[in-house]
Amino acid sequence: MAAGYAQREAEAGDRRVVRLCLTAAGRAALDRADAAYADWLGPLLRATGDTAGVFEAFRGLDAAMDERRRARKGAA
């Protein structure tokens, strides 16, 4: 907001709800960050010789993290 990357938007009919939305500048900054990350990560993935295997491991890790979050919420 101060940097101009996001703006608040009210929800019609419910003043308690405020959404944060990217501005055009915020979307451009996110696109630049995505490109920089892809430029950095791409060579690392290719260096493993098993990009598909790395992605599969990430999917497994993501699923395990989701399950752990669900378990924690259920215990609370």
Side-chain angles (χ1 to χ4, degrees):
M1 295 180 305
Y5 294 145
Q7 64 187 17
R8 289 184 178 103
E9 291 185 3
E11 176 71 24
D14 191 344
R15 293 178 27 179
R16 297 170 298 172
V17 176
V18 177
R19 299 189 195 295
L20 291 178
C21 302
L22 289 176
T23 62
R27 173 56 58 193
L30 182 59
D31 289 345
R32 286 190 306 273
D34 282 347
Y37 190 65
D39 287 347
W40 174 80
L41 186 58
L44 290 175
L45 287 172
R46 286 189 295 279
T48 69
D50 186 16
T51 302
V54 172
F55 279 124
E56 185 60 33
F58 281 146
R59 281 189 288 277
L61 180 60
D62 185 50
M65 290 169 60
D66 283 346
E67 181 58 35
R68 183 154 188 174
R69 276 190 291 275
R70 279 191 295 275
R72 253 190 317 223
K73 285 181 182 180

